[in-house]
Amino acid sequence: MVDTQHNTSSSTSLPQPKEIVDKASVTAVADELSQQAQKLSHRAATDNDPAPIAVQAKFITPQDPVIVESDGTRLPGVPLEEAHKLNVLREQWHIQKKANEERLDEDVKSKEVVTNAALNGGKQKLPSSLTQDEDGHVGRKLAPEGSLRRSMPPSHTHPLFPPLPLYGPPSIIRDLQCLTFRVFSFFLGANFLGVIVLGALFTSMPPLCGWLWKRLTFRNPDKRRPFYEEEQRRKRLRKQQVREWVKSQRGREQPMITDSEKDPFVDEDHFEPTEGGPDPIVCDVGYYARRVGLDVEEFTVQTEDGFVIDLWHVYDPKEYARLPETERRSKGPELWAMQDEAQLPKSSTGKRGKRFPVLLMHGLLQSAGAYCVNDDDSLAFYLCKSGYDVWLGNNRCGFSPKHTTLDYSDPRMWAWNIRQMGVFDLAALVSRVRYQTGFPKVGLICHSQGTTQTFVALAKEQRPDLGEMLTVFCALAPAAYAGPLIGKMYFKFMRVITPGMFRLMFGIHAFLPIMMTMHRLLNPRVYGWLGYKVFSFMFNWTDERWDRALKDRMFQFAPVYVSAESMRWWLGRECFARHKCILATKEEWKAEEMEDEDVNAATGGAGRSRAGSLVDGGQHHVHRRRPKGSTAWYDERAPPFAMWVAGSDDLVDGHKLLRRFERGREPHVRVVHHKVIPEYEHLDVLWAMDAPDQIFREVREVLWKTCDKRGICRVPRGCEDVELLVPEVKRSVTGASEDQTSSSGEEASV
């Protein structure tokens, strides 16, 4: 905090006019402001090359500042103290400058007062704008400190979100330091990845030997797979489709059909593929959309801290024309206002009415392409063909890191973690979808890390107003509590090393960028095979329930660029890996578990219903110890939640999250649906062959039952009998909501 008291000095026995002192003070504050602004600017200015300078720290949330430069460009956040210091100095400089300007009109009068006071040898009554200290120094009264106090940083930061490092503008020393980190992290990170790869290959040898032995003894080792017969049927069907496509294309080119030539009476439920033949396995969601009769257009969206991220729109080419490229570009860092419904673009209209918009967010080290790899059984294509307007959101950096100001080599481009992904990326994507479609609210579906950034963003300390823009939050494999996998040796290694050692080993830029290099260099099938082995080894995944013939596709959309700081948040010693929860410390959630054990002991186990909820007697016992909702993460702005938990998921623990809601610790959250699938692993919620029946159908129905614009939207296929969810009657946090829905199992509110 900058000292707001003015220092005085005297070169004679007579008291000096305060105007001289104020000018010196203004100069000192201006110099300090200039130094602070240079420290936070994109690059240092020189005499021959004046650069834009940091002028303000704009606080998107109390914990998330964005640096705004004089030309309007945005820079990612800096430590809170540095951001507040810039604002305090800027405000103090304006206050003092204004005070000096006002005093110029009173110069003569002020000097006369000073002289008379000195000749009289004492104090005398002064004008209200002046003051005199005990030594006889006369000056203007200081401006109220209220605005400065409002600029002071919070008394503490969240223990789960430690401050991000501060990197100044480019300089020779800083660039050498960054180069040192990049060189060391390249070799150390490559060695770490090499150990993981060797471990994956070594542990895959016994299963491979068993598979070969069964083949040599004329047994089919794949018959034990739960969907073996269906896999074979689909394999034969794809081969037939390839032959038919090649035959239809032989000797002629597919004619291009313009909008005017389209048959107005074509069946909207028929989707004619525009791509086909042998699958070359490419990293292109548009290609796989065209193989099932749909298409994709790409938008770019700018976040409030200057990152440019990709938003993909899945559409039916029979009823929608791709927008011009100029309309799909980012339009600036400010969140967009919603369009007038009377001016809705074609993206949400059709012969049977408007499509309700749905945004899908992906998991850690993935892109939104994970929703598009299973042909018609891909969640994105499934929802689009059902009648929804599907948008696929990607987080910052992705496959091609982009920022309006910063370069790849600048460490400030990588100074972010899960909170920035939620507060900035998710908010920007939701805002853009609302703008493009004209709907005030959209449905949100997330998987794994996508659920984490949403849980964080909706928290009352972060950006709870985002919840008022969502009709429902559908969480697939929700990642709020850590699973037993966090105790594996290589994860423990990351947790025990210091933050400095973590940065030395994994750098201060992208996390293991060598993975992206291998993605570009290796043959897609080799990369898909190796990618599965490595990720299966690290995260305990298996392909038991996947269509194995499509597995190489699945790993073409992973990994993507993520920051080393983001991975440090997940795996480092300070954050998630230590506390094993995203919004509560280890001590907090363990204390809650002890309270629950006390309740169970007091009720003899009889206080739990079939769904695991506490009856009134148990709740009163908890209330005496801690009021209901006192540790709630969310307030009344939270949207309805729906959750699908993978019962055999070792990466995250969805059961703990369900218990949090069942035991009333989130009185403002309405859980409209939840389901536990015991046999499912972490990625089965997306890629299992029975996922359309187990999950996608229910997601489709939950989206429709919570839709707030059913009167103007087409009814999605399969939702004709789904009734609208009755709005909940809100009550105080000390009592349960009248219409609170928290039933369990498949039949929960659907």
Side-chain angles (χ1 to χ4, degrees), residues 108-150:
V108 176
K109 187 175 181 179
S110 299
K111 290 180 181 179
E112 291 177 355
V113 171
V114 172
T115 303
N116 292 336
L119 292 176
N120 293 336
K123 297 183 179 180
Q124 69 177 47
K125 186 176 181 180
L126 301 177
S128 60
S129 60
L130 301 178
T131 186
Q132 184 176 12
D133 60 24
E134 294 179 356
D135 298 326
H137 297 152
V138 179
R140 295 183 59 84
K141 290 183 178 179
L142 295 178
E145 296 183 16
S147 56
L148 288 178
R149 293 189 185 278
R150 287 196 300 270

Side-chain angles (χ1 to χ4, degrees), residues 262-440:
K262 290 180 180 178
D263 184 359
F265 302 104
V266 69
D267 182 6
E268 288 192 354
D269 290 329
H270 178 71
F271 299 90
E272 186 68 30
T274 54
E275 295 274 9
D279 183 5
I281 308 179
V282 294
C283 185
D284 180 5
V285 293
Y287 170 76
Y288 292 111
R290 291 188 289 274
R291 287 181 71 96
V292 296
L294 302 173
D295 210 339
V296 172
E297 60 179 346
E298 299 182 5
F299 291 75
T300 54
V301 179
Q302 184 176 339
T303 66
E304 292 163 287
D305 56 347
F307 283 89
V308 180
I309 56 181
D310 296 323
L311 174 64
W312 300 332
H313 178 215
V314 182
Y315 63 90
D316 181 356
K318 297 190 303 295
E319 64 178 52
Y320 172 80
R322 184 191 298 261
L323 293 176
E325 183 180 356
T326 54
E327 295 186 32
R328 291 184 275 119
R329 295 175 184 167
S330 59
K331 304 296 183 181
E334 300 296 337
L335 297 186
W336 295 12
M338 187 186 67
Q339 287 198 51
D340 190 329
E341 288 190 14
Q343 300 176 345
L344 285 177
K346 293 181 180 179
S347 62
S348 59
T349 59
K351 298 175 185 177
R352 293 179 291 183
K354 302 169 184 175
R355 290 173 172 256
F356 183 70
V358 181
L359 174 65
L360 281 66
M361 295 298 298
H362 59 82
L364 177 64
L365 293 174
Q366 287 184 317
S367 71
Y371 291 107
C372 305
V373 295
N374 278 339
D375 292 332
D376 282 323
D377 287 337
S378 306
L379 180 56
F381 304 153
Y382 180 94
L383 292 176
C384 184
K385 291 189 175 184
S386 294
Y388 288 104
D389 192 19
V390 177
W391 299 78
L392 304 175
N394 294 277
N395 286 306
R396 54 188 60 199
C397 295
F399 285 113
S400 56
K402 291 171 286 191
H403 191 276
T404 56
T405 306
L406 302 176
D407 298 324
Y408 176 94
S409 59
D410 195 320
R412 291 173 295 182
M413 186 171 182
W414 304 96
W416 48 268
N417 57 36
I418 193 69
R419 190 169 68 197
Q420 285 72 38
M421 295 166 67
V423 169
F424 296 116
D425 296 8
L426 182 61
L429 292 167
V430 170
S431 175
R432 183 63 180 265
V433 173
R434 292 174 70 235
Y435 174 84
Q436 291 298 141
T437 62
F439 282 82

